[in-house]
Amino acid sequence: MVFLRAFLHSIRLPKKKAIFQLNRIGMDITIFYMLLLLFIVSLPGFIDYLLSSSKLANELNIFFNIIYFFIFNYLPLSIIVFMLISLIAAVGTGLAKLMQRKLKYSILWKMTAYTTTIPFLVYTIAALFLPIGNTYLLMFCIYSLLFIVLIISVYPKRRKK
């Protein structure tokens, strides 16, 4: 139920109510949500891997195919995406300081993770029908950065002492 609420609120970003609802969700749920989302994103690649006529896929039984795909596709994808989210959140922290907002890195990391929902779902649907290149990754980063700026602008400015 928490994942469904997180999904519905992440689709409504950058609305103020959705931002504050997502902010209340714990970091453990956010990380598990991201891993689940990355699993969904990697499904078109897994289907393509199984249906390809590669000798390796044909010689291994299904259990080893799953293990192989997990180690060489899902795991590196997860590491790269988590690193990109961390980088975008770090840039967002700098932007928050420039915009004089009271935001911490952990909040921006969580919000950045939730901004990836729509690009990842679009990628998954498109990858089922079309081959998609690496330029989509650049568009994903620009989309997330734009949304982080919009999310930062929702939070109040720091009080002057």
Side-chain angles (χ1 to χ4, degrees):
M1 192 65 173
V2 175
F3 297 110
L4 180 61
R5 269 188 303 198
F7 173 73
L8 294 174
H9 289 305
S10 66
I11 289 178
R12 293 186 192 116
L13 283 175
K15 292 184 180 178
K16 190 174 188 175
K17 185 177 180 182
I19 291 169
F20 291 119
Q21 290 294 322
L22 288 172
N23 194 21
R24 291 188 182 112
I25 296 175
M27 188 61 87
D28 56 339
I29 300 296
T30 303
I31 290 174
F32 194 73
Y33 175 83
M34 282 303 302
L35 291 172
L36 186 64
L37 193 60
L38 288 170
F39 176 75
I40 293 169
V41 166
S42 65
L43 283 178
F46 183 64
I47 292 168
D48 186 45
Y49 169 73
L50 288 178
L51 296 178
S52 70
S53 60
S54 109
K55 289 183 179 181
L56 181 64
N58 291 336
E59 291 177 9
L60 296 175
N61 70 25
I62 189 71
F63 177 73
F64 288 116
N65 274 325
I66 292 170
I67 298 293
Y68 178 84
F69 187 80
F70 175 77
I71 291 173
F72 293 108
N73 285 32
Y74 178 76
L75 193 59
L77 173 71
S78 299
I79 292 169
I80 291 169
V81 168
F82 275 77
M83 287 173 46
L84 278 173
I85 288 172
S86 299
L87 180 68
I88 292 170
V91 170
T93 304
L95 290 172
K97 286 184 182 182
L98 287 174
M99 295 171 69
Q100 300 174 347
R101 308 293 185 186
K102 291 171 49 173
L103 286 169
K104 294 184 179 180
Y105 175 80
S106 60
I107 293 172
L108 289 171
W109 196 97
K110 191 186 317 182
M111 290 300 133
T112 304
Y114 287 118
T115 63
T116 62
T117 300
I118 292 175
F120 283 170
L121 292 179
V122 168
Y123 173 83
T124 303
I125 293 169
L128 287 171
F129 304 107
L130 305 167
I132 296 181
N134 294 333
T135 56
Y136 185 80
L137 186 60
L138 178 64
M139 292 182 348
F140 148 70
C141 291
I142 292 169
Y143 177 90
S144 290
L145 274 171
L146 175 69
F147 269 59
I148 284 299
V149 170
L150 294 173
I151 288 170
I152 291 171
S153 67
V154 167
Y155 283 90
K157 287 189 173 187
R158 292 180 183 257
R159 289 185 182 170
K160 295 182 180 178
K161 294 182 181 182

